[in-house]
């Protein structure tokens, strides 16, 4: 009987010694980041905004901006006739920092290709993003991309 009980007991998985976390290839956090990118691609600012906490902070290359400032850029691009199509998410993963005694921190890292289009002009943009996700919302976002394509398409 004891052997039977032991075989039915759930085994706890332990991280290797010295590990601070793990990487997930599928998660609700990844789904949230993809939802945000798709909303951006579809020009759906309401859905895009809904994926972030109201006090979200964006580290957009060298600038630090709020959610309202980020959405205003989105709106300005749309008003100028610029569309931003998500072509492909090349790589995406959820890095979970699981430090004993502290809440697990989740960061979704993505490497994505977008096409900016305005009239007959188009430009490819590769965006590296890191989204810190807490309680089902993106709370911080770090973005790195070459701004040259944005400047050219807005001329």
């Amino acid at each position: 009987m004891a052997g039977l009980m032991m075989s039915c007991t759930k085994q706890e998985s332990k991280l290797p010694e010295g590990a601070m976390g793990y990487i997930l290839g599928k998660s609700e956090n990844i789904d949230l980041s993809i939802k945000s990118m798709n909303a951006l691609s579809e020009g759906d600012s309401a859905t895009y905004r809904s994926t972030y906490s109201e006090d979200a902070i964006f580290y957009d290359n060298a600038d630090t901006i709020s959610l309202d400032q980020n959405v205003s850029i989105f709106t300005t691009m749309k008003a100028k006739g610029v569309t931003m199509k998500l072509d492909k998410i090349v790589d995406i993963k959820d890095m979970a920092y699981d430090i004993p005694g502290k809440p697990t921190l989740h960061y979704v890292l993505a490497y994505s290709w977008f096409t900016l289009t305005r009239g007959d002009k188009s430009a490819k943009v590769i965006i590296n993003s890191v989204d810190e996700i807490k309680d089902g919302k993106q709370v911080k976002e770090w973005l790195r991309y070459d701004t040259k394509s944005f400047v050219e398409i807005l001329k």
Side-chain angles (χ1 to χ4, degrees):
M1 182 78 163
L4 180 61
M5 286 178 65
M6 289 178 76
S7 68
C8 293
T9 304
K10 184 178 177 184
Q11 294 286 327
E12 281 191 43
S13 62
K14 293 187 177 183
L15 296 174
E17 187 175 333
M20 294 176 53
Y22 49 92
I23 296 175
L24 300 168
K26 291 174 85 175
S27 73
E28 290 179 6
N29 296 326
I30 290 172
D31 294 344
L32 180 68
S33 289
I34 291 171
K35 179 180 178 180
S36 176
M37 286 187 266
N38 282 328
L40 180 64
S41 183
E42 294 163 6
D44 183 351
S45 59
T47 299
Y48 177 78
R49 180 184 272 281
S50 76
T51 65
Y52 295 91
S53 68
E54 279 302 315
D55 59 350
I57 299 170
F58 296 79
Y59 301 98
D60 190 339
N61 284 330
D63 296 326
T64 301
I65 60 175
S66 68
L67 177 60
D68 288 337
Q69 290 169 313
N70 180 273
V71 172
S72 74
I73 294 167
F74 182 101
T75 305
T76 299
M77 287 178 51
K78 193 173 182 180
K80 290 188 175 216
V82 177
T83 60
M84 189 169 178
K85 180 182 173 286
L86 175 62
D87 296 319
K88 184 176 184 178
I89 299 172
V90 178
D91 187 28
I92 191 165
K93 57 186 135 288
D94 181 352
M95 290 180 43
Y97 287 91
D98 195 11
I99 302 167
K102 295 185 178 184
T104 301
L105 298 173
H106 288 271
Y107 297 92
V108 173
L109 287 73
Y111 180 76
S112 309
W113 296 351
F114 287 86
T115 299
L116 299 172
T117 305
R118 182 176 183 200
D120 61 350
K121 295 193 296 187
S122 67
K124 297 279 186 192
V125 179
I126 298 169
I127 298 178
N128 291 295
S129 61
V130 177
D131 296 316
E132 180 180 342
I133 299 178
K134 186 175 184 181
D135 300 326
K137 296 284 186 175
Q138 296 172 102
V139 296
K140 291 183 184 172
E141 185 168 81
W142 292 265
L143 297 163
R144 296 291 177 260
Y145 54 92
D146 183 354
T147 59
K148 180 180 160 190
S149 297
F150 281 94
V151 171
E152 288 298 316
I153 207 83
L154 289 171
K155 284 184 181 178

